[in-house]
Amino acid sequence: MDVQDFEKTLQGVTEKVRRNAVRFGERFPPDVTAHLDYSAGLGGNVGWTTGFWLGQLWLTYQLTRWDQIRDLARSLGPTFDERLAAGVGVDHDLGMLFLPSRVLEYRLTGDEQSRAGALRAASALASRFRQPGQFIQAWGAPDDPQEAGRTIIDSMMNIPLLFWAHGETGDRLLYDRAMRHALTVGRYLVRGDGSSYHTFFFDVASGQPVGGRTHQGHSDGSTWARGQAWGLYGFALAYRLSGEARFLRHSQQLAGYFLSHLPEDGVCYWDLDRSDPEEPRDTSAAAIAACGLMELAAHVGGGLAKDYRGAARMMVCRLAERYRAPDEKEGLLAEAVADLPRGRGVRESTLYGDYFFLEALVRLLGKDVRLPWLF
């Protein structure tokens, strides 16, 4: 594919986002499609992925200046504040919820209500920091005996919210908790060979490490592809936002393992340690990793940066050529996997996979667009 091919793909993606916006109205699409369509599950702002729908709207608005898209995004924004106030689905995914919605809206429009809502979300995320163990609790209430000691690799895409809030307020506590959490994730969830645990447990009382365990991967010792991609991208962002060299090293470790475990066409299996051609791919993990590789390339020099950009371009090319959902369907990327062990969203489209496919095209083409994670 050449530049014109990628431009044509991006145009097709934004046109579909516009059609979906008209079709969905003020209802939110669900996390995953049914037969590559979201419409059967339309409803309120309740899932952990709804921020990625706002992210699609705000990126599309920046590219097209369609007022209808902007107006819809602005009308949906306050629902994020409402769910935070009501405690609906509030856990460590506050970053993925509020960065593509309220933070991006504030940065694009100057809306002070958006800023205030995002700062409250950052405070709520910081409150999940556990002093014993030095980590942000992923799921459940603080007194949940099953979850109080768990953190997960996905969290690296949430802590940019704390860095942003620190920049807005000067509150050092937010910065310190983001840093300490990222250091803990790097120490315990990134393995020596560059693979990663999906989740990791600490003793609640002492903070001592207990061990890694998967939730959505093949096994505790394997490498769940989407988790690896979250970590690759998240550590590159943490390096951008802090300058801490260890974060850059972790991102490179994760990138190396990811790239060395790709099948021939460059689109990963749902778990990087699976290789049977009958196993499902995960296009959402590939799209996230492509964005992470392009971010990583911005922080290294010479041939390595060229290699990362080349790998990202190859992956986006394969996604665009072979894995796009048909035009008549509402999803953007087919063949994503939400949760294979539970049989959920297998070979479907996902809100996050669709969002990161759009972001990857924007990054690849060098569009002058504000992204949720870069500030």
Side-chain angles (χ1 to χ4, degrees):
M1 293 179 67
D2 59 21
V3 172
Q4 287 185 328
D5 294 321
F6 285 118
E7 289 280 7
K8 185 177 179 180
T9 300
L10 179 59
Q11 182 179 356
V13 166
T14 55
E15 287 285 354
K16 184 177 283 194
V17 173
R18 185 183 191 181
R19 292 199 304 269
N20 286 345
V22 172
R23 187 172 298 163
F24 302 163
E26 296 202 351
R27 298 171 297 172
F28 280 88
D31 300 342
V32 301
T33 56
H35 307 294
L36 301 179
D37 283 324
Y38 290 104
S39 286
L42 295 174
N45 186 350
V46 294
W48 70 270
T49 69
T50 51
F52 293 114
W53 174 232
L54 269 289
Q56 291 181 49
L57 295 178
W58 281 120
L59 263 60
T60 297
Y61 170 68
Q62 292 181 78
L63 291 164
T64 65
R65 295 298 167 180
W66 286 329
D67 290 346
Q68 184 181 22
I69 292 283
R70 177 202 60 202
D71 294 345
L72 177 60
R74 295 197 73 169
S75 71
L76 294 174
T79 65
F80 289 85
D81 304 341
E82 293 162 8
R83 69 178 284 183
L84 178 63
V88 176
V90 176
D91 58 21
H92 81 117
D93 284 319
L94 285 163
M96 295 190 197
L97 286 169
F98 277 80
L99 284 162
S101 60
R102 299 306 258 165
V103 171
L104 196 50
E105 180 174 352
Y106 168 64
R107 292 171 57 218
L108 291 171
T109 70
D111 180 63
E112 287 294 332
Q113 197 172 36
S114 298
R115 177 180 183 272
L119 289 175
R120 286 192 292 271
S123 178
L125 179 58
S127 74
R128 298 183 66 82
F129 187 80
R130 304 294 166 241
Q131 292 288 351
Q134 302 285 288
F135 66 92
I136 292 172
Q137 180 181 334
W139 302 322
D143 59 352
D144 185 329
Q146 297 297 318
E147 299 296 345
R150 188 201 305 253
T151 196
I152 69 177
I153 193 75
D154 316 34
S155 62
M156 291 305 301
M157 290 300 296
N158 288 305
I159 62 168
L161 180 64
L162 300 181
F163 285 114
W164 169 81
H166 167 257
E168 290 291 312
T169 65
D171 185 346
R172 188 71 187 182
L173 179 69
L174 299 171
Y175 182 88
D176 288 345
R177 291 190 171 183
M179 289 292 293
R180 283 188 278 168
H181 172 76
L183 290 169
T184 297
V185 172
R187 181 178 180 184
Y188 292 107
L189 279 76
V190 178
R191 303 183 184 118
D193 62 355
S195 64
S196 61
Y197 289 113
H198 179 193
T199 89
F200 198 92
F201 283 90
F202 297 86
D203 181 84
V204 175
S206 68
Q208 290 299 304
V210 174
R213 189 180 306 166
T214 197
H215 183 73
Q216 288 166 250
H218 172 70
S219 67
D220 292 345
S222 71
T223 304
W224 178 51
R226 195 166 84 241
Q228 188 83 359
W230 291 134
L232 189 172
Y233 195 1
F235 274 111
L237 291 170
Y239 174 72
R240 171 188 285 272
L241 297 168
S242 70
E244 171 54 59
R246 281 173 285 186
F247 300 157
L248 182 62
R249 184 168 67 250
H250 291 321
S251 182
Q252 291 184 266
Q253 288 176 294
L254 294 163
Y257 193 90
F258 194 99
L259 292 173
S260 68
H261 285 73
L262 292 180
E264 187 175 348
D265 78 346
V267 176
C268 57
Y269 292 106
W270 69 282
D271 188 292
L272 295 180
D273 296 324
R274 308 301 286 170
S275 58
D276 187 327
E278 297 302 313
E279 294 274 354
R281 307 299 178 98
D282 185 3
T283 57
S284 71
I288 296 162
C291 292
L293 289 167
M294 285 185 271
E295 176 65 22
L296 186 54
H299 305 298
V300 298
L304 192 54
K306 184 178 180 180
D307 289 345
Y308 288 147
R309 283 193 293 267
R313 182 185 180 94
M314 176 271 294
M315 291 162 67
V316 178
C317 179
R318 295 294 184 269
L319 292 174
E321 287 181 330
R322 304 179 185 180
Y323 292 93
R324 286 180 65 188
D327 287 344
E328 67 272 16
K329 293 295 185 178
E330 294 166 353
L332 303 182
L333 272 184
E335 298 295 326
V337 172
D339 189 344
L340 190 143
R342 291 158 192 82
R344 182 171 179 269
V346 179
R347 295 190 168 99
E348 291 286 351
S349 299
T350 65
L351 276 185
Y352 43 88
D354 288 356
Y355 166 81
F356 282 104
F357 182 48
L358 174 55
E359 181 181 314
L361 289 166
V362 165
R363 279 182 171 272
L364 189 63
L365 290 166
K367 297 295 184 181
D368 184 18
V369 168
R370 291 188 177 183
L371 300 176
W373 337 97
L374 307 187
F375 33 80

